[in-house]
Amino acid sequence: MRASRLTLALASGTACALTLAGCGGGGGTGSQSAGAAAVADPADSGSFTFIAQATGNKDEPFDAIISAFEKKYPNIKVKAEYLPIGTSYADSLRTRLRGGNQPDVYYAAPGGGGLTSLLNLADAGLAADLTRQSWTSGLVDKNAHGLFYQGGRLWGVPFDRVVVAQVYNTTALKKSGIQVPRTMDELLAACRTARKQGKSMISLAGASTENAGLFASALAANYVLGDDPEFNTQRDQGKTTFAGNAGWQATAKAIIDMNKAGCFQKGVEAADIPQAAPALVQGKALSFVIPTGAFGALRGISPSIQLEAHPLPGATAAGTNIYSSQSDALAISPKGAKNGAATTFLKYVSTEGGDAVYAKATGNLPLKGTLNDPALNSISGILTDQKHVYPMVQLPWPNPEVYNNLGKGVQGLLTGQQSADAVLKSMDEAWKTK
């Protein structure tokens, strides 16, 4: 039960980060969005329906937002429904949006290329236009603009910020005597020391393409985006490839080097999240690379666990970066476009404190500022340094198969059944299928 809950929480900490259930960029042609209705202005009374992905927790995080919202707007009532995460949610959402039972408000993943991608839903005429709402001005980060806007119009709003970090079990780390590594060389040395102590430096769900892909993606923040922040744009224009990019080659090599140094738990290639996460809680592994939104699930298993988040190190301390992404979205359906109460909800969630309520419930960050959580103290500095903060590299990818091939490729690197070139070429092949 606990493992199942943790799996869901890790997956829903950000659908983009772990499941890619609709993440990606580019979008489509906008052929059916041209005549999309603009949303109504906010209203102080009424009701609306809302659907989102279920997390598997006893208390759904959106329930906390809805409760706070209804206190602020007592004349508005929300009817919420939570559907199973992943493909089931995607299928149900699209069926509802295309049929006669549209929700007024729904959860979507920013970008395009997947089943619940915001821009693809807008292309299909299944999202309303938010552009004329003055409260949306400046809401979307510049580096996330292409994930929420298409054709000059805004199709959804962010409501949290997902941070991916190397999360340590502080107690186990102190007992080991190992200092937090600041460079890849230091990390490899720490891995060897931890292995001699019968522990692993990093727990990795190698059997999960989602978690394996996330780990590689976190490394790419250092080796790819640090030197080539416009990689995705250049890849989309055909000016570069994964296989031909030195940063992606270095990312794959780092995984191979870490595996040789014993950084991961024994049997890493067969471990899924229900095996990998408890290793961190039990102190058998010293760290786990995950979204900080998983803090709540980890603490649910072990309320006394002390956590500490750090960036996954790059080749140098100066070349170490971190992901902080506006990676979740809320949108209004064509049916909801006429409902001012639905507009009020999106305004509340993104500009009137709803993001802070959600952050407290999940462990993700609010759109502005941070949380008063000691586990985040060690990354508070880097999160304010825009030279070292990026959205997740996979968000603008044109289809989920590119990320899926990355995750499968990490598995191949761990078992020695695939070379770095083969992994990266498979991602290039997947990119061609838009």
Side-chain angles (χ1 to χ4, degrees), residues 69 98 170 174 207 224 237 271 292 300 325 336 405 415:
F69 172 77
R98 288 170 170 162
T170 306
K174 288 180 178 178
V224 179
Q237 295 173 350
T292 58
S325 304
N405 282 4
T415 60

Side-chain angles (χ1 to χ4, degrees), residues 56-101:
N57 292 335
K58 179 180 179 182
D59 299 317
E60 291 291 340
F62 274 114
D63 282 342
I65 291 184
I66 292 170
S67 177
F69 172 77
E70 290 183 336
K71 287 180 181 178
K72 183 176 178 68
Y73 294 96
N75 294 321
I76 298 179
K77 300 301 177 185
V78 184
K79 183 180 180 181
E81 182 180 356
Y82 303 106
L83 305 175
I85 195 170
T87 304
S88 179
Y89 175 75
D91 291 343
S92 296
L93 175 64
R94 295 181 76 87
T95 297
R96 295 269 289 271
L97 289 174
R98 288 170 170 162
N101 190 26

